[in-house]
Amino acid sequence: MKKLLSLGITIAIIVAMVLTCPKEEDHYKAISSDIAEKSAVLKTIGPSIVKMGVKKVVTVKDYMLVSVGNYSLNDKNGIVSIGLFGHVFPITQDDFWDELGRSIGLN
């Protein structure tokens, strides 16, 4: 009985993860908001412009249970967001913020 209950809970969690896995647009929005919070200059130019810059350098891969945002900019790359259970968690990457600022002419 305990094995069956454990299996049922595991299957329910997996189904919930698949159904609530954040999409690409959710990553762009979360990363753009995180960037705007960290920089007064980027906050003043507006989230839509920041989001356009983010879309150019961030790619999101959907692994069904979790989605991951990766950046590639000026020979640097890394993970900038992880999405699961309907929420995107931006990961602070100082290299990413610096490179993004340089690419749009702010640094």
Side-chain angles (χ1 to χ4, degrees):
M1 182 68 175
K2 285 184 181 182
K3 287 183 180 182
L4 187 59
L5 181 62
S6 295
L7 180 63
I9 291 171
T10 302
I11 290 171
I13 290 170
I14 291 172
V15 168
M17 289 179 78
V18 169
L19 294 176
T20 62
C21 187
K23 303 299 178 212
E24 195 172 34
E25 192 63 30
D26 299 326
H27 282 265
Y28 297 143
K29 184 177 178 183
I31 295 167
S32 299
S33 295
D34 192 47
I35 291 171
E37 286 177 18
K38 293 180 182 341
S39 170
V41 173
L42 293 176
K43 189 182 285 187
T44 59
I45 66 172
S48 60
I49 294 173
V50 174
K51 194 173 181 182
M52 286 177 12
V54 168
K55 283 184 174 185
K56 288 183 179 183
V57 297
V58 174
T59 56
V60 178
K61 293 187 180 179
D62 185 353
Y63 296 105
M64 290 182 61
L65 302 178
V66 64
S67 53
V68 178
N70 297 290
Y71 81 94
S72 180
L73 184 63
N74 298 336
D75 297 328
K76 295 184 181 182
N77 54 43
I79 295 174
V80 290
S81 62
I82 296 175
L84 67 151
F85 290 113
H87 187 74
V88 176
F89 301 94
I91 300 170
T92 301
Q93 289 277 349
D94 292 334
D95 288 344
F96 172 67
W97 310 142
D98 293 342
E99 294 297 322
L100 182 63
R102 277 190 213 104
S103 73
I104 59 176
L106 297 175
N107 292 348

